Every structure is written in structure tokens, then in C-alpha cells.
Amino acid sequence: MADLQVSNSAVADIESVTQPTHDEIARQRFCSTLRRHAIQDFVGALESDYRNRVAPRLPAPNDWHDIDRAMKNEPSYRFYSTLRYNAQEMCFQSVQPEVERALPELIAVARDAAERSPAGGSLRLTPGFEVPSYVSTLDVHLTPGCFHSEWTDDDVAQGAVVSLGSRVFTAQQSHRSWGGVARVISRWIKTEFPDVAPRRLLDLGTTSGKNLIPYVQAFPGLEAHGIDVGAPLLRYGHAVAEHENVPIHFSQQNAEGTDFPDGHFDLIVSSFFFHEIPVWASRKVIAECYRLLRPGGLMVHQELPAHDLVDTWENYFWNWDTRNNNEPGYTAWRRQDPIALMAGAGFDPEASFAHILPDINAYPDRGTAFAWDEPGRPRHGKGGWYVFGGRKPA
């Protein structure tokens, strides 16, 4: 453990424990490039093939199902899907060897962080916690072992696989460049809600807390809480935060119903969370958010754009994941009207919203949302981020 200690923290950097070999680094870079090609470059070729060769033979599509039926046996679609599916799976598989080699050291660092918590954060796990079946019955995102699997005492393997694999997945090589969604949302909150100065925040489905740390940096004095159903993710995330000297309180909880008191939070956030759960569960979660917010409190959830807000081709593109990426609730979630969902939980529709926010790198000087009919409005994930949310009546 001595050689793992670093100068800027009382806790070792758990992210530096794994040491990929030369060949593993090469494989990871290949996987990053392959996935980027599949989801960015090749999808353009797929759309071009549809519009120029397939669509002229067909009636105008009524919805994305028509495009799906037209394309499912086309060579371009079959090759695209094969490429994208395997690239997705390979990203997480590419980090498993280094995680397995380093697992004893990873566990030791996480234990040290949990025992001492020098940054002032906390880790609260629940023995015998019941992971919801919509997580436990499949490998979401094609991640081997999903978010929750544990293979030994105090296991952090899945935390490392998800965190390091996501870095390969997004072609990012430093977790310090993560949390972009939090920076986008916090900037927008400061612009649109200058009276909101959150003292206590909750992040739903926090995984390893990478999208939570920037909120602490954006709102000094913030008491930050992150919940998730996966104990390995929380152990790993707690170790990351303690090393970074950021006090975050992690707890193993189901967002459908938590043990926090009424009105406990000023701000509730999430990132790519709701499309991972069934619609019936999302209704419970939004109702729980309403209960947990103080009067005048705000919730902002970054998600995938709702079905009615994008065109037919974009719906077809997004809904690929329902069938191919172990995300069965994906399309059903996108069919929902987020304003209606929030109204059903008690939020005032007039105080609710569904926006595209400007990416902080693409639009460094703009903190306001795009109008849906604004010329040049970027797509979600390409210069913009779709969010929905609302403010609890004061």
C-alpha cells in the first residue's frame, strides 16, 4: 500500500491502483475508437443509406417503427448493429483483466477510505439489500456483472469495471474530465434560478459519484448525498471522493423510496437514470422527489429526449438500445410526457420544464436553455443536453 499513497490526500487514489499492460492499453484505445466510429461516424452512413436508397422505395414513415421494419434486414443496419453491439460489450471487457489483477489492492484502498473518511464523507450500506429485479436480472449496458454483483467481501470490482470501462466507452482518459453534465446543469441553475442556493443535494443513481463532485465545487458549502443500489459502485465512489477530499455521503438505497425525511433536499439531480428503470418505477421516483424536496426546492434530471420532441429518424436512432443494449425500459420511458409525469406527482406544470441545455465546452458563454424552435439548436449529446424537472411550490 505504501507505493499507492499520494501527496494530495490522506487516502490513496483508487483510480491509479489498476495498471493496464501495454497490450491492454492498446486494446482499450481500439475499443474506444471502434465505439466512437460505430455511434458517431457509421450512424451517419446508416442514415444516408436509409434516406438515399431505402426510403425512396417506401411510403413516408408514420413513426420510427416504420424505419425499423424497413431497415432490419438491410446489410447496412445489420453491420452497424453488429459493430455497435460488440464495441459496447468490448469496452467493459477490456478493463476486466487489470481490475482482476488489482482487486486485493482496490479493496484495501476502499476499506481504508471507509474506515477513516478523512474528507468527512460517509458510506452507508445495507446488509441483505434487495436489488430491484430490473437491475439484477440482466447486465444493463452489456456491462458484465451489471452494477451490483459482488464476488468477495467488500467487493469493488463492479465499481472499477463500470468506472474504468465507461472511460473507455466515452474515449475519455481522465475522470477529471467527467461530470460535464453537472457543470452544465449547475451553470444553468445559477443563470435561471439565481435565488436557488442549495444547501443539501441528492444525486439519484449516483454510481461512483463522478457527476456529483462538480456540484460540490459549484455550490460551496453544499452537503452532497448520492444513492445507488450497487454496493460495489458506492464503495468505489466513496474512495474516489475521499481521495479528492470532497465530502460526499453515499448510501445504498432504492430511489423509489428512501429513508430521508420529508423536505430534506434543496436540489435533486440525476444523469441518465430514468431510462434504466420501468415507467411504473419512474412514477414512484418522481413522487419520492416531490416528498424529499423542501418547498421551493428544485429537481433537474438529465435524460434522453422525449419521443415527441425529436424527429422520426432520431427516435429510431435512440430506440436501438431498447432491443440491443439490455435497456428494456428505454423506449417506454421516452414515450412519456415528462411534464405530465411531474404533474402526476404534484409538481405544477407551469413550474416544470423540458429543455436542451448548452454543453459547457461547445457553448462556454451561454447559460440559458435553447428554445425548441431555435435555429441551430444542437441535438442532445451533440452540443446540448436534454433535461427535465420542476420546482416544488413554495
Side-chain angles (χ1 to χ4, degrees), residues 120-134:
S122 63
L123 175 64
R124 180 161 59 96
L125 303 177
T126 303
F129 180 84
E130 184 177 353
V131 176
S133 60
Y134 50 77

Side-chain angles (χ1 to χ4, degrees), residues 213-233:
I213 290 175
Y215 285 109
V216 181
Q217 298 165 338
F219 299 106
L222 182 71
E223 179 183 306
H225 294 256
I227 64 171
D228 206 287
V229 299
L233 300 180

Side-chain angles (χ1 to χ4, degrees), residues 148-204:
H148 65 290
S149 297
E150 299 188 60
W151 318 105
T152 188
D153 292 342
D154 299 329
D155 200 358
V156 296
Q158 292 309 117
V161 167
V162 169
S163 184
L164 300 177
S166 294
R167 190 180 303 173
V168 177
F169 179 86
T170 55
Q172 297 181 72
Q173 297 305 308
S174 171
H175 87 270
R176 298 178 193 277
S177 66
W178 286 34
V181 169
R183 290 192 288 272
V184 167
I185 292 175
S186 58
R187 179 179 67 171
W188 179 70
I189 290 172
K190 290 179 177 181
T191 302
E192 290 295 313
F193 302 94
D195 62 317
V196 173
R199 296 165 300 157
R200 190 178 290 127
L201 171 145
L202 175 64
D203 183 29
L204 309 178

Side-chain angles (χ1 to χ4, degrees), residues 1-7 9-13 16-17 105 108-109 112:
M1 291 290 294
D3 60 336
L4 299 176
Q5 299 301 315
V6 292
S7 59
S9 176
V11 174
D13 181 7
S16 69
V17 172
E105 291 81 9
V109 171
D112 180 51

Side-chain angles (χ1 to χ4, degrees), residues 265-282:
F265 294 100
D266 307 287
L267 178 61
I268 299 178
V269 298
S270 69
S271 175
F272 285 123
F273 169 70
F274 280 89
H275 73 270
E276 307 284 14
I277 66 178
V279 171
W280 60 261
S282 72

Side-chain angles (χ1 to χ4, degrees), residues 19-39:
Q19 295 294 322
T21 65
H22 173 276
D23 287 357
E24 288 165 353
I25 292 172
R27 180 186 181 194
Q28 290 163 12
R29 289 177 176 172
F30 169 77
C31 292
S32 289
T33 302
L34 185 66
R35 184 182 180 276
R36 186 171 59 247
H37 174 69
I39 202 166

Side-chain angles (χ1 to χ4, degrees), residues 68-315:
D68 187 47
R69 282 188 289 269
M71 293 297 292
K72 67 179 181 181
N73 291 320
E74 294 294 334
S76 58
Y77 169 77
R78 293 172 68 86
F79 183 59
Y80 161 76
S81 289
T82 299
L83 192 68
R84 185 173 169 186
Y85 181 97
N86 282 280
Q88 176 95 6
E89 198 170 43
M90 289 163 62
C91 285
F92 296 102
Q93 291 175 339
S94 71
V95 302
Q96 283 185 302
E98 63 182 279
V99 171
E100 290 172 0
R101 283 197 309 271
L103 188 55
E105 291 81 9
L106 289 167
I107 291 173
V109 171
R111 281 175 175 163
D112 180 51
E115 289 169 1
R116 298 194 294 116
S117 292
S122 63
L123 175 64
R124 180 161 59 96
L125 303 177
T126 303
F129 180 84
E130 184 177 353
V131 176
S133 60
Y134 50 77
V135 173
S136 64
T137 56
L138 73 172
D139 287 343
V140 179
H141 285 167
L142 306 180
T143 307
C146 198
F147 309 129
H148 65 290
S149 297
E150 299 188 60
W151 318 105
T152 188
D153 292 342
D154 299 329
D155 200 358
V156 296
Q158 292 309 117
V161 167
V162 169
S163 184
L164 300 177
S166 294
R167 190 180 303 173
V168 177
F169 179 86
T170 55
Q172 297 181 72
Q173 297 305 308
S174 171
H175 87 270
R176 298 178 193 277
S177 66
W178 286 34
V181 169
R183 290 192 288 272
V184 167
I185 292 175
S186 58
R187 179 179 67 171
W188 179 70
I189 290 172
K190 290 179 177 181
T191 302
E192 290 295 313
F193 302 94
D195 62 317
V196 173
R199 296 165 300 157
R200 190 178 290 127
L201 171 145
L202 175 64
D203 183 29
L204 309 178
T206 194
T207 61
S208 58
K210 297 289 181 61
N211 198 55
L212 183 49
I213 290 175
Y215 285 109
V216 181
Q217 298 165 338
F219 299 106
L222 182 71
E223 179 183 306
H225 294 256
I227 64 171
D228 206 287
V229 299
L233 300 180
L234 296 170
R235 293 186 186 106
Y236 190 91
H238 176 253
V240 170
E242 290 296 318
H243 169 75
E244 295 290 334
N245 200 31
V246 179
I248 295 178
H249 303 285
F250 293 93
S251 58
Q252 187 178 24
Q253 299 198 57
N254 186 331
E256 295 173 39
T258 71
D259 60 10
F260 298 115
D262 294 355
H264 196 59
F265 294 100
D266 307 287
L267 178 61
I268 299 178
V269 298
S270 69
S271 175
F272 285 123
F273 169 70
F274 280 89
H275 73 270
E276 307 284 14
I277 66 178
V279 171
W280 60 261
S282 72
R283 293 193 178 98
K284 289 185 176 182
V285 172
I286 294 173
E288 180 69 353
C289 289
Y290 189 86
R291 181 185 75 81
L292 292 174
L293 281 174
R294 65 163 177 82
L298 179 68
M299 72 171 188
V300 188
H301 302 292
Q302 184 269 316
E303 250 305 330
L304 296 162
H307 184 275
D308 292 342
L309 298 176
V310 300
D311 63 25
T312 305
W313 174 265
E314 193 171 343
N315 275 320

